[in-house]
Structure formats: C-alpha cells, structure tokens
Coordinates of all heavy atoms in Angstrom, one line a residue:
K325 N 95.8 102.6 83.4 CA 96.2 103.1 84.7 C 95.1 104.1 85.2 O 94.7 104.1 86.3 CB 97.6 103.8 84.6 CG 98.1 104.3 86.0 CD 99.5 104.9 85.8 CE 99.9 105.4 87.2 NZ 101.2 106.1 87.1
S326 N 94.8 105.1 84.3 CA 93.8 106.1 84.7 C 92.4 105.5 84.9 O 91.6 106.0 85.7 CB 93.7 107.2 83.6 OG 93.2 106.7 82.4
S327 N 92.1 104.4 84.1 CA 90.8 103.8 84.3 C 90.7 103.1 85.7 O 89.6 103.2 86.3 CB 90.5 102.8 83.2 OG 91.4 101.8 83.2
E328 N 91.8 102.6 86.2 CA 91.8 102.0 87.5 C 91.6 103.1 88.6 O 90.9 102.9 89.5 CB 93.1 101.2 87.7 CG 93.3 100.0 86.9 CD 94.7 99.4 87.0 OE1 95.4 99.8 88.0 OE2 95.1 98.6 86.2
Y329 N 92.3 104.2 88.3 CA 92.2 105.3 89.3 C 90.7 105.8 89.3 O 90.2 106.1 90.4 CB 93.1 106.4 88.8 CG 93.2 107.6 89.8 CD1 93.7 107.5 91.1 CD2 92.7 108.9 89.4 CE1 93.8 108.6 91.9 CE2 92.8 109.9 90.2 CZ 93.3 109.8 91.5 OH 93.4 110.8 92.4
L330 N 90.1 105.9 88.1 CA 88.7 106.3 88.1 C 87.8 105.4 88.8 O 86.9 105.8 89.6 CB 88.2 106.5 86.6 CG 88.4 107.8 86.0 CD1 88.0 107.8 84.6 CD2 87.6 108.9 86.8
K331 N 88.0 104.1 88.7 CA 87.2 103.1 89.4 C 87.3 103.3 90.9 O 86.4 103.2 91.6 CB 87.6 101.7 88.9 CG 87.1 101.3 87.6 CD 87.6 99.9 87.2 CE 87.3 99.5 85.8 NZ 87.8 98.3 85.4
E332 N 88.6 103.5 91.3 CA 88.8 103.7 92.7 C 88.1 104.9 93.2 O 87.5 104.9 94.3 CB 90.4 103.8 92.9 CG 90.8 104.1 94.3 CD 92.3 104.4 94.4 OE1 93.1 103.7 93.7 OE2 92.6 105.3 95.2
L333 N 88.2 106.0 92.4 CA 87.5 107.3 92.8 C 86.0 107.1 92.9 O 85.4 107.6 93.9 CB 87.8 108.4 91.8 CG 89.2 109.0 91.8 CD1 89.3 110.0 90.7 CD2 89.5 109.6 93.1
R334 N 85.4 106.3 92.0 CA 84.0 106.2 92.0 C 83.4 105.4 93.2 O 82.3 105.5 93.5 CB 83.5 105.5 90.7 CG 83.6 106.5 89.5 CD 82.9 106.0 88.3 NE 82.9 107.1 87.3 CZ 83.6 107.0 86.2 NH1 84.4 106.0 85.9 NH2 83.5 108.0 85.3
T335 N 84.3 104.6 93.8 CA 83.9 103.8 95.0 C 83.9 104.6 96.3 O 83.4 104.2 97.3 CB 84.7 102.5 95.1 OG1 86.1 102.9 95.3 CG2 84.6 101.6 93.9
Q336 N 84.6 105.8 96.2 CA 84.7 106.6 97.4 C 83.5 107.5 97.7 O 82.8 107.9 96.8 CB 86.0 107.4 97.3 CG 87.3 106.6 97.3 CD 88.5 107.4 97.1 OE1 88.4 108.6 97.0 NE2 89.7 106.8 97.2
S337 N 83.4 107.9 99.0 CA 82.3 108.8 99.3 C 82.6 110.2 98.9 O 83.8 110.5 98.6 CB 82.1 108.7 100.8 OG 83.1 109.3 101.5
A338 N 81.7 111.1 99.0 CA 81.9 112.5 98.6 C 82.9 113.1 99.6 O 83.7 114.0 99.1 CB 80.5 113.2 98.7
A339 N 82.8 112.8 100.8 CA 83.8 113.4 101.8 C 85.2 113.0 101.5 O 86.2 113.8 101.5 CB 83.4 113.0 103.2
Q340 N 85.4 111.7 101.1 CA 86.7 111.2 100.8 C 87.2 111.9 99.5 O 88.4 112.2 99.4 CB 86.7 109.7 100.6 CG 86.5 108.9 101.8 CD 86.3 107.4 101.5 OE1 85.6 107.1 100.6 NE2 86.9 106.6 102.3
L341 N 86.3 112.1 98.6 CA 86.7 112.8 97.3 C 87.2 114.2 97.6 O 88.1 114.7 97.0 CB 85.6 112.7 96.3 CG 85.2 111.4 95.7 CD1 83.9 111.5 94.9 CD2 86.4 110.9 94.8
Q342 N 86.4 114.8 98.5 CA 86.7 116.2 98.9 C 88.1 116.3 99.5 O 88.9 117.2 99.2 CB 85.7 116.7 99.8 CG 85.1 118.1 99.7 CD 84.9 118.6 98.3 OE1 84.3 118.0 97.4 NE2 85.4 119.8 98.0
E343 N 88.4 115.3 100.4 CA 89.7 115.3 101.0 C 90.8 115.1 100.0 O 91.9 115.7 100.1 CB 89.8 114.1 102.0 CG 89.0 114.4 103.3 CD 89.1 113.2 104.2 OE1 89.9 112.3 104.0 OE2 88.2 113.1 105.1
Q344 N 90.6 114.2 99.0 CA 91.6 114.0 98.0 C 91.8 115.2 97.1 O 92.9 115.5 96.7 CB 91.2 112.8 97.1 CG 91.6 111.4 97.6 CD 91.6 110.4 96.5 OE1 90.7 110.3 95.7 NE2 92.6 109.5 96.6
L345 N 90.7 115.9 96.9 CA 90.8 117.1 96.1 C 91.7 118.2 96.8 O 92.6 118.8 96.2 CB 89.4 117.7 95.8 CG 89.3 118.9 94.9 CD1 89.9 118.6 93.5 CD2 87.9 119.4 94.7
V346 N 91.5 118.3 98.1 CA 92.3 119.3 98.8 C 93.7 118.9 98.8 O 94.6 119.7 98.6 CB 91.7 119.4 100.3 CG1 92.6 120.2 101.2 CG2 90.3 120.1 100.3
A347 N 94.0 117.6 99.0 CA 95.4 117.1 99.0 C 96.0 117.3 97.7 O 97.2 117.7 97.6 CB 95.4 115.6 99.4
A348 N 95.3 117.1 96.6 CA 95.9 117.2 95.3 C 96.2 118.7 95.0 O 97.2 119.1 94.4 CB 94.9 116.7 94.2
K349 N 95.3 119.6 95.5 CA 95.5 121.0 95.2 C 96.7 121.5 96.0 O 97.5 122.4 95.6 CB 94.3 121.8 95.6 CG 93.2 121.7 94.5 CD 92.0 122.6 94.8 CE 91.0 122.5 93.6 NZ 89.9 123.4 93.8
K350 N 96.9 121.0 97.3 CA 98.1 121.3 98.0 C 99.4 120.8 97.3 O 100.4 121.5 97.3 CB 98.0 120.7 99.4 CG 97.1 121.4 100.4 CD 97.1 120.7 101.7 CE 96.1 121.4 102.7 NZ 96.0 120.7 104.0
E351 N 99.3 119.6 96.8 CA 100.4 119.0 96.1 C 100.8 119.9 94.9 O 102.0 120.1 94.6 CB 100.1 117.6 95.6 CG 101.3 116.9 95.0 CD 101.1 115.5 94.6 OE1 100.0 114.9 94.9 OE2 102.0 114.9 94.0
I352 N 99.8 120.3 94.1 CA 100.1 121.1 92.9 C 100.7 122.4 93.3 O 101.6 123.0 92.6 CB 98.9 121.3 91.9 CG1 99.3 121.8 90.6 CG2 97.9 122.2 92.4 CD1 99.0 120.8 89.5
F353 N 100.2 123.0 94.4 CA 100.8 124.3 94.9 C 102.3 124.1 95.2 O 103.2 124.9 94.8 CB 100.1 124.8 96.1 CG 100.7 126.0 96.7 CD1 100.5 127.2 96.2 CD2 101.5 125.8 97.8 CE1 101.1 128.3 96.8 CE2 102.1 126.9 98.4 CZ 101.9 128.2 97.9
N354 N 102.6 123.0 95.9 CA 104.0 122.7 96.3 C 104.9 122.4 95.0 O 106.0 122.8 95.0 CB 104.1 121.5 97.2 CG 103.5 121.9 98.6 OD1 103.6 123.0 99.0 ND2 103.0 120.9 99.3
L355 N 104.3 121.7 94.1 CA 105.0 121.4 92.8 C 105.4 122.7 92.1 O 106.5 122.8 91.5 CB 104.2 120.4 92.0 CG 104.2 119.0 92.4 CD1 103.2 118.2 91.6 CD2 105.5 118.3 92.4
R356 N 104.4 123.6 92.0 CA 104.6 124.8 91.3 C 105.7 125.7 92.0 O 106.5 126.3 91.3 CB 103.3 125.6 91.2 CG 102.3 125.1 90.2 CD 101.1 126.0 90.1 NE 100.2 125.5 89.2 CZ 98.8 125.6 89.3 NH1 98.3 126.2 90.4 NH2 98.0 125.2 88.4
F357 N 105.6 125.6 93.3 CA 106.6 126.4 94.1 C 108.0 125.8 93.8 O 109.0 126.6 93.6 CB 106.3 126.3 95.6 CG 106.9 127.3 96.4 CD1 106.3 128.6 96.6 CD2 108.1 127.1 97.0 CE1 106.9 129.5 97.4 CE2 108.7 128.1 97.8 CZ 108.1 129.3 98.0
Q358 N 108.1 124.5 93.9 CA 109.4 123.8 93.6 C 109.9 124.1 92.2 O 111.1 124.3 91.9 CB 109.3 122.3 93.8 CG 109.2 121.9 95.2 CD 109.0 120.4 95.3 OE1 109.0 119.7 94.3 NE2 108.7 119.9 96.6
N359 N 109.0 124.2 91.2 CA 109.3 124.4 89.8 C 109.9 125.9 89.7 O 110.8 126.1 89.0 CB 108.1 124.2 88.9 CG 108.5 124.1 87.5 OD1 109.6 123.6 87.2 ND2 107.6 124.5 86.6
A360 N 109.2 126.8 90.4 CA 109.7 128.2 90.3 C 111.0 128.4 90.9 O 111.8 129.3 90.5 CB 108.6 129.1 91.0
T361 N 111.4 127.6 91.9 CA 112.7 127.7 92.5 C 113.7 126.7 92.0 O 114.8 126.5 92.6 CB 112.6 127.5 94.1 OG1 112.0 126.3 94.3 CG2 111.7 128.6 94.7
N362 N 113.4 126.1 90.9 CA 114.3 125.2 90.2 C 114.7 124.0 91.0 O 115.8 123.5 90.9 CB 115.5 125.9 89.6 CG 115.2 126.8 88.5 OD1 114.3 126.5 87.7 ND2 115.9 127.9 88.5
Q363 N 113.8 123.5 91.9 CA 114.1 122.4 92.7 C 113.3 121.1 92.2 O 113.5 120.0 92.8 CB 113.6 122.6 94.2 CG 114.5 123.7 94.8 CD 114.0 124.0 96.2 OE1 112.8 123.7 96.6 NE2 114.8 124.6 97.0
L364 N 112.5 121.3 91.2 CA 111.6 120.2 90.8 C 112.4 119.4 89.7 O 112.8 119.9 88.7 CB 110.3 120.7 90.2 CG 109.3 119.7 89.8 CD1 108.9 118.9 91.1 CD2 108.1 120.4 89.2
D365 N 112.5 118.1 89.9 CA 113.2 117.2 88.9 C 112.2 116.7 87.9 O 112.5 116.7 86.7 CB 113.9 116.0 89.6 CG 115.0 116.5 90.6 OD1 115.6 117.5 90.3 OD2 115.2 115.8 91.6
N366 N 111.1 116.2 88.4 CA 110.1 115.6 87.5 C 108.9 116.6 87.2 O 107.9 116.6 87.9 CB 109.5 114.3 88.2 CG 108.5 113.6 87.3 OD1 108.3 113.9 86.1 ND2 107.9 112.5 87.9
T367 N 109.1 117.3 86.1 CA 108.1 118.4 85.8 C 106.8 117.7 85.3 O 105.8 118.4 85.3 CB 108.6 119.4 84.8 OG1 109.1 118.7 83.6 CG2 109.8 120.2 85.4
G368 N 106.9 116.5 84.8 CA 105.7 115.8 84.3 C 104.7 115.5 85.4 O 103.5 115.3 85.1
R369 N 105.1 115.6 86.6 CA 104.3 115.3 87.8 C 103.2 116.4 87.9 O 102.1 116.2 88.3 CB 105.1 115.3 89.1 CG 104.3 115.0 90.3 CD 103.9 113.5 90.4 NE 103.1 113.3 91.7 CZ 102.0 112.7 91.7 NH1 101.5 112.2 90.6 NH2 101.3 112.6 92.9
I370 N 103.5 117.7 87.5 CA 102.5 118.8 87.5 C 101.4 118.4 86.6 O 100.2 118.5 87.0 CB 103.2 120.1 87.1 CG1 104.2 120.5 88.1 CG2 102.1 121.2 86.9 CD1 105.0 121.8 87.7
K371 N 101.6 118.0 85.4 CA 100.6 117.6 84.5 C 99.7 116.5 85.0 O 98.5 116.5 84.9 CB 101.2 117.2 83.1 CG 100.2 116.9 82.0 CD 101.0 116.7 80.7 CE 100.0 116.4 79.6 NZ 100.7 116.1 78.4
E372 N 100.4 115.5 85.6 CA 99.7 114.3 86.1 C 98.7 114.7 87.3 O 97.6 114.3 87.3 CB 100.7 113.3 86.7 CG 100.2 112.0 87.1 CD 101.3 111.1 87.6 OE1 102.4 111.2 87.1 OE2 101.0 110.2 88.5
V373 N 99.2 115.6 88.2 CA 98.4 116.0 89.3 C 97.2 116.9 88.8 O 96.1 116.8 89.3 CB 99.2 116.8 90.3 CG1 98.3 117.4 91.4 CG2 100.3 115.9 91.0
R374 N 97.5 117.7 87.8 CA 96.4 118.5 87.2 C 95.3 117.7 86.7 O 94.1 117.9 86.8 CB 96.9 119.5 86.1 CG 97.6 120.7 86.7 CD 98.1 121.6 85.6 NE 97.1 122.0 84.7 CZ 97.2 122.0 83.3 NH1 98.3 121.7 82.7 NH2 96.2 122.4 82.6
K375 N 95.7 116.6 86.0 CA 94.7 115.7 85.4 C 93.9 114.9 86.5 O 92.7 114.7 86.4 CB 95.3 114.7 84.4 CG 95.8 115.4 83.1 CD 96.2 114.4 82.1 CE 96.6 115.2 80.9 NZ 96.3 114.5 79.6
N376 N 94.7 114.6 87.6 CA 94.0 113.9 88.7 C 93.0 114.8 89.3 O 91.9 114.4 89.7 CB 95.0 113.4 89.7 CG 95.8 112.2 89.2 OD1 95.3 111.5 88.3 ND2 96.9 111.9 89.9
I377 N 93.3 116.1 89.5 CA 92.3 117.1 90.0 C 91.1 117.1 89.2 O 90.0 117.1 89.7 CB 93.0 118.5 90.2 CG1 94.0 118.5 91.3 CG2 91.9 119.5 90.4 CD1 94.8 119.7 91.4
A378 N 91.3 117.1 87.9 CA 90.1 117.1 86.9 C 89.3 115.9 87.1 O 88.1 115.9 87.1 CB 90.6 117.3 85.5
R379 N 90.0 114.7 87.2 CA 89.2 113.5 87.4 C 88.4 113.5 88.7 O 87.3 113.0 88.7 CB 90.2 112.3 87.4 CG 90.8 112.0 86.1 CD 91.7 110.8 86.1 NE 92.4 110.6 84.9 CZ 93.7 110.7 84.6 NH1 94.5 111.0 85.6 NH2 94.2 110.5 83.4
I380 N 89.0 113.9 89.7 CA 88.3 114.0 91.0 C 87.1 114.9 90.9 O 86.0 114.6 91.4 CB 89.3 114.5 92.2 CG1 90.4 113.4 92.4 CG2 88.5 114.7 93.5 CD1 91.5 113.9 93.3
Q381 N 87.3 116.1 90.3 CA 86.2 117.0 90.2 C 85.0 116.4 89.3 O 83.9 116.6 89.6 CB 86.6 118.3 89.6 CG 87.5 119.1 90.6 CD 88.1 120.4 90.0 OE1 88.4 120.5 88.8 NE2 88.2 121.4 90.8
T382 N 85.4 115.7 88.3 CA 84.4 115.0 87.4 C 83.6 114.0 88.2 O 82.4 114.0 88.1 CB 85.1 114.3 86.2 OG1 85.9 115.3 85.5 CG2 84.1 113.7 85.3
V383 N 84.3 113.2 89.0 CA 83.5 112.2 89.8 C 82.6 112.9 90.8 O 81.5 112.5 91.0 CB 84.5 111.2 90.5 CG1 83.8 110.3 91.4 CG2 85.3 110.4 89.4
I384 N 83.1 114.0 91.4 CA 82.3 114.7 92.4 C 81.0 115.2 91.7 O 79.9 115.2 92.2 CB 83.1 115.9 93.0 CG1 84.1 115.3 94.0 CG2 82.1 116.9 93.7 CD1 85.1 116.4 94.5
T385 N 81.2 115.8 90.5 CA 80.0 116.3 89.7 C 79.1 115.1 89.4 O 77.8 115.3 89.4 CB 80.5 117.0 88.4 OG1 81.5 118.0 88.8 CG2 79.4 117.6 87.7
E386 N 79.6 114.0 89.0 CA 78.8 112.8 88.6 C 78.0 112.4 89.9 O 76.8 112.1 89.7 CB 79.6 111.7 88.2 CG 80.2 111.8 86.8 CD 81.2 110.7 86.5 OE1 81.4 109.8 87.3 OE2 81.7 110.7 85.3
K387 N 78.6 112.4 91.0 CA 77.8 112.0 92.2 C 76.8 113.0 92.6 O 75.8 112.7 93.2 CB 78.8 111.8 93.4 CG 79.6 110.5 93.2 CD 80.5 110.3 94.5 CE 81.3 109.0 94.3 NZ 80.6 107.8 94.6
A388 N 77.0 114.3 92.3 CA 76.0 115.3 92.7 C 74.7 115.2 91.8 O 73.7 115.7 92.3 CB 76.7 116.7 92.5
E389 N 74.8 114.7 90.7 CA 73.7 114.6 89.8 C 72.8 113.4 90.2 O 73.1 112.5 90.8 CB 74.1 114.4 88.3 CG 74.8 115.7 87.8 CD 75.3 115.5 86.4 OE1 75.3 114.4 85.9 OE2 75.8 116.5 85.9

C-alpha cells in the first residue's frame, strides 16, 4: 500500500507535493485537536498521517537534488 502511495507521489510535480504537504499538516492538526477533546475514534490515523507527511517530505527532497 505504501509503495503504491510513493509511486503516486513521485509522479506529481513539486507544487502538487507542496499542496499535499499543507493538507496533511492541516489534517494532523485537526486530528490532534480531536484527540485532545476525546472526539477521535481512530487514533491510528494520527500515525498514518505522520508517516505520509514524512513520505511527502522525502519525495520533495529527492526532487530537489
């Protein structure tokens, strides 16, 4: 599953990756907020989004080189 996501990320432009990074950071903020107020059911989603942020940043770094 993650390898498919990485392939998809590598085909995108730098601007698209930047947009996805911003969206993922907004999502993690909202998830943390929901977790703090005990409204979050799926706490595993936080870990998943954190890893996606790292994947996006890795691809951005690869494209910069």
Side-chain angles (χ1 to χ4, degrees):
K325 184 179 176 183
S326 64
S327 61
E328 292 172 16
Y329 184 67
L330 267 176
K331 286 178 187 174
E332 179 187 320
L333 287 177
R334 287 194 172 109
T335 61
Q336 295 180 355
S337 69
Q340 289 172 319
L341 289 171
Q342 221 40 49
E343 285 176 18
Q344 274 200 318
L345 184 61
V346 170
K349 286 186 176 186
K350 283 181 184 176
E351 183 178 358
I352 194 117
F353 174 80
N354 290 330
L355 288 172
R356 284 183 181 145
F357 199 89
Q358 288 175 3
N359 196 30
T361 58
N362 292 324
Q363 294 176 339
L364 187 62
D365 297 328
N366 182 8
T367 55
R369 182 76 180 130
I370 293 175
K371 184 176 180 181
E372 187 179 330
V373 173
R374 282 180 56 222
K375 289 188 179 217
N376 285 344
I377 289 173
R379 287 184 185 111
I380 294 167
Q381 288 176 328
T382 300
V383 173
I384 289 173
T385 305
E386 286 174 357
K387 286 186 180 278
E389 292 175 355

